[in-house]
Amino acid sequence: MELLKQRIIKDAVVKKGNVLKVDGFLNHRIDVRLYDEIGKEFYRLFGKENVTKILTVEASGIGIACITAQAFGYIPVVFAKKGKTSNISDDVYTSRITSFTHGVDYDIMVSKEYLESGDRVLIIDDFLANGEAVKGLALLVSQAGAELVGAGIVIEKGFQPGGKELRGKGVRVESLAIIESMNDETGEITFRI
Ligand code: 5GP
């Protein structure tokens, strides 16, 4: 997605530890016009899949998921909540993921009420790195007996293993920009798509 790539080149900052900071337009201050284009692009990619629900994880996925849901004709968005195992009840689907940016394990959960076996679920997230978030969300979908249509990712870091692993497992992953390399000393970013 050219608009997104140009914005990454203009405003993203490469941090140490393979972290790309996009706070100026995606993760802290939000460029709603860009979000709108992102939502339309996900609809262009997945619009024929009869998606019934969009699933993401709090917090940064929620805004992108909502604007995508709008492009899909206002289908519901469910976001997995992060929490501690001790709070988990029988009423939730749950899985454990390791946070890429914080390096800690946490549990994500979705109330059983909000994911149903008849659902066709599209996972949406801002970044794909090691694939932990998408794998954790996909596990919730399978626990519910729902169908995973695919994963729509805004920025995939193609030099990290998540995308390859998920596609290898047969998950349809569509990323709007795929970063081939990034250098925290020079700030240079190259793209695969
Ligand atoms: P994964 O679970 O695929 O390893 O990492 C994806 C999750 O970690 C995303 O939900 C995102 O919030 C966060 N993340 C991973 N890499 C980056 C990055 O380079 N920049 C930012 N801002 N978030 C990232």
Side-chain angles (χ1 to χ4, degrees):
M1 186 180 165
E2 195 52 39
L3 189 67
L4 174 66
K5 271 186 0 188
Q6 291 309 323
R7 195 61 188 268
I8 292 170
I9 290 165
K10 185 168 160 275
D11 288 333
V13 181
V14 184
K15 295 285 186 187
K16 283 206 165 30
N18 286 326
V19 172
L20 189 68
K21 216 163 157 63
V22 288
D23 280 7
F25 58 98
L26 202 76
N27 282 156
H28 192 15
R29 177 176 60 182
I30 290 173
D31 180 339
V32 179
R33 200 177 293 275
L34 178 66
Y35 262 41
D36 204 26
E37 295 302 323
I38 287 169
K40 285 183 194 152
E41 188 64 10
F42 283 138
Y43 182 73
R44 194 183 67 73
L45 291 162
F46 291 105
K48 293 199 173 78
E49 293 290 340
N50 298 318
V51 176
T52 62
K53 235 163 237 174
I54 292 181
L55 179 66
T56 189
V57 59
E58 66 177 355
S60 52
I62 296 175
I64 302 159
C66 286
I67 213 140
T68 303
Q70 207 172 0
F72 276 76
Y74 298 94
I75 58 176
V77 170
V78 176
F79 67 89
K81 297 191 177 196
K82 294 172 181 171
K84 293 205 175 74
T85 320
S86 54
N87 297 333
I88 289 173
S89 73
D90 288 347
D91 304 331
V92 297
Y93 300 117
T94 179
S95 62
R96 174 158 295 189
I97 62 182
T98 303
S99 160
F100 178 82
T101 38
H102 301 107
V104 292
D105 284 358
Y106 55 88
D107 296 300
I108 57 169
M109 60 198 92
V110 160
S111 170
K112 289 183 178 172
E113 216 180 324
Y114 301 135
L115 269 186
E116 292 154 297
S117 59
D119 276 324
R120 291 178 57 78
V121 180
L122 173 62
I123 291 173
I124 292 286
D125 207 5
D126 57 347
F127 274 90
L128 178 61
N130 293 329
E132 284 280 310
V134 172
K135 278 187 279 178
L137 291 169
L139 190 59
L140 303 182
V141 175
S142 75
Q143 285 170 18
E147 185 140 354
L148 180 63
V149 164
I153 303 294
V154 180
I155 304 172
E156 175 177 343
K157 290 180 290 177
F159 54 88
Q160 291 175 323
K164 192 168 181 213
E165 188 187 334
L166 287 161
R167 291 182 182 100
K169 285 182 176 163
V171 178
R172 180 178 170 200
V173 180
E174 299 281 0
S175 301
L176 305 189
I178 303 184
I179 293 177
E180 186 69 58
S181 70
M182 53 191 214
N183 185 319
D184 64 74
E185 279 164 13
T186 62
E188 196 193 351
I189 299 168
T190 64
F191 292 91
R192 191 176 302 165
I193 61 161

